[in-house]
Amino acid sequence: MESIRIEIVNPKAKNIIKNLADMDLIRIKKEKIKSEFTELLTKLRKHSDQAPSLEEITKEVESVRKARYEK
């Protein structure tokens, strides 16, 4: 079995791929996409004892956004 990754440009191609899967010619698997932000946080936390949690970062971002839009 061979695996390849395909980027669908035209929505018609998605229908063709679904039809191939319905005929049991191919199998469609969804990948778990790990965001670049999560990867960066993981990398930074490896080198720091006091790295902020995702919740702390989210809270800070929300407070900055709130302050920005109140102006």
Side-chain angles (χ1 to χ4, degrees):
M1 178 173 31
E2 182 179 354
S3 296
I4 59 173
R5 181 178 176 172
I6 300 172
E7 291 184 23
I8 299 173
V9 178
N10 187 323
K12 292 179 184 178
K14 190 172 185 178
N15 290 332
I16 294 170
I17 292 171
K18 286 182 180 179
N19 289 338
L20 291 172
D22 291 341
M23 292 186 286
D24 290 328
L25 296 174
I26 64 170
R27 187 175 317 134
I28 300 173
K29 292 184 179 181
K30 297 209 177 209
E31 291 181 1
K32 293 182 181 178
I33 300 173
K34 190 171 184 180
S35 72
E36 291 178 22
F37 180 66
T38 306
E39 289 178 12
L40 176 64
L41 285 178
T42 303
K43 184 179 176 182
L44 292 173
R45 286 184 179 137
K46 285 181 185 178
H47 304 293
S48 175
D49 295 335
Q50 299 176 0
S53 68
L54 187 56
E55 291 80 23
E56 292 170 324
I57 294 170
T58 303
K59 185 176 178 180
E60 181 66 24
V61 168
E62 289 173 356
S63 68
V64 169
R65 285 180 181 164
K66 183 179 178 185
R68 179 184 299 163
Y69 294 120
E70 287 178 350
K71 291 182 180 180

